[in-house]
């Protein structure tokens, strides 16, 4: 791939919003990582914003479940972008969007769709949601560079590293990919499901902001920050938790 410098037009306002979001990732104390709840609809987005969170990050899994589709590429792109747009319009805080592997869209079109939805950033993963195969890291870095070139400063790029998710437990492999993605223009690297004890090594080896996922029974966001995470997200975990509560309420109503 050859990166282009042709940025999507009309992005000055978007760049300003993205810079506001980007600034939230810097100069943070280890005990105070940026915690980004993952809304799956307008109601959940408003609840998180009302609680005082400075920004939000949509999860593809949570939105897919809310729309009735399986995760891992099951949601049609037009429905995902429409859902992201509804979430963005429902709150005044910046919203970043998980768009999986970009749905096969050319970089320029992907950027246009994200900006049309009002997102200030995106998650882009380096394995296919359908075949679960890790992409060649240099190919993926070149693709990220094209996305960066098309977006300019108008989007915060969070590059997800799927080595741990796909059964490659070696921290070195994640660091190699993370460095390539940073060099390609990624603002943050997200080694999803990295064991917490590896976060210090990953943070030191990759450099720059590091995203960690908080899971039930695992370290708290504060503890993840102290281990090296700059920001903490939850994947589809929050939506699943609410779904379980609704199931419990449904049983109570049924058994009256």
């Amino acid at each position: 791939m050859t990166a282009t410098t042709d940025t999507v037009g009309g992005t000055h306002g978007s760049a300003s919003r993205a810079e506001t979001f980007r600034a939230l990732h810097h100069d943070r104390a280890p005990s105070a990582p940026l915690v980004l709840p993952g809304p799956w609809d307008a109601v959940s987005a408003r609840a998180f914003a009302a609680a005082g969170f400075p920004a939000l990050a949509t999860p593809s899994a949570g939105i897919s479940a809310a729309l009735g589709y399986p995760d891992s590429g099951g949601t049609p792109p037009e429905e995902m972008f429409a859902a992201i747009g509804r979430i963005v319009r429902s709150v005044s805080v910046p919203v970043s969007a998980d768009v999986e592997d970009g749905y096969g869209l050319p970089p320029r079109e992907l950027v246009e769709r994200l900006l049309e939805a009002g997102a200030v950033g995106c998650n882009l993963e380096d394995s296919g949601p359908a075949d679960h195969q890790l992409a060649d890291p240099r190919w993926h870095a070149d693709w990220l560079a094209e996305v960066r070139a098309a977006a300019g400063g108008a989007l915060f790029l969070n590059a997800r590293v799927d080595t741990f998710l796909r059964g490659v437990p070696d921290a070195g492999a994640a660091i190699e990919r993370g460095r390539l993605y940073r060099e390609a223009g990624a603002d943050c690297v997200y080694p999803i499901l990295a064991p917490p004890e590896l976060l210090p090594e990953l943070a030191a080896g990759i450099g720059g902001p590091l995203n960690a996922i908080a899971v039930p029974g695992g370290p708290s966001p504060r503890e993840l920050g102290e281990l090296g995470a700059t920001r903490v997200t939850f994947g589809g975990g929050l939506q699943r938790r609410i779904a379980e509560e609704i199931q419990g309420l449904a049983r109570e109503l049924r058994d009256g």
Side-chain angles (χ1 to χ4, degrees), residues 41-133:
D41 60 12
V43 173
S44 58
R46 288 173 180 147
F48 293 136
F53 289 98
L56 307 174
T58 70
S60 64
I63 289 179
S64 294
L67 294 176
Y69 293 100
D71 191 22
S72 300
T75 304
E78 59 273 15
E79 293 199 39
M80 181 63 73
F81 286 110
I84 293 166
R86 288 192 293 272
I87 289 169
V88 170
R89 291 192 298 273
S90 71
V91 294
S92 59
V93 299
V95 178
S96 184
D98 180 355
V99 288
E100 304 186 55
D101 65 344
Y103 306 112
L105 297 171
R108 185 178 178 84
E109 183 179 352
L110 175 62
V111 169
E112 288 174 345
R113 299 283 290 273
L114 284 162
L115 294 179
E116 286 172 0
V120 299
C122 62
N123 276 18
L124 293 168
E125 58 201 50
D126 65 353
S127 68
D131 61 16
H132 298 169
Q133 296 299 306

Side-chain angles (χ1 to χ4, degrees), residues 11 20 49 78 107 143 173-174 178 185 203 229:
T11 61
T20 298
E78 59 273 15
W143 181 74

Side-chain angles (χ1 to χ4, degrees), residues 100-234:
E100 304 186 55
D101 65 344
Y103 306 112
L105 297 171
R108 185 178 178 84
E109 183 179 352
L110 175 62
V111 169
E112 288 174 345
R113 299 283 290 273
L114 284 162
L115 294 179
E116 286 172 0
V120 299
C122 62
N123 276 18
L124 293 168
E125 58 201 50
D126 65 353
S127 68
D131 61 16
H132 298 169
Q133 296 299 306
L134 286 164
D136 176 83
R138 294 193 178 277
W139 180 92
H140 190 70
D142 287 345
W143 181 74
L144 287 173
E146 290 194 20
V147 176
R148 166 55 70 213
L155 287 174
F156 182 99
L157 300 187
N158 189 35
R160 204 179 87 177
V161 174
D162 285 3
T163 50
F164 297 102
L165 177 66
R166 303 306 179 197
V168 182
D170 178 25
I175 289 171
E176 178 186 5
R177 286 174 178 264
R179 284 177 173 171
L180 284 171
Y181 302 162
R182 285 281 292 160
E183 291 169 2
D187 295 284
C188 184
V189 174
Y190 179 17
I192 188 171
L193 295 183
E197 63 270 18
L198 292 183
L199 290 178
E201 181 180 357
L202 293 168
I206 295 172
L210 190 76
N211 190 154
I213 188 170
V215 298
S220 68
R222 179 186 180 119
E223 290 168 333
L224 291 171
E226 291 171 342
L227 287 168
T230 308
R231 82 181 213 175
V232 176
T233 53
F234 302 85

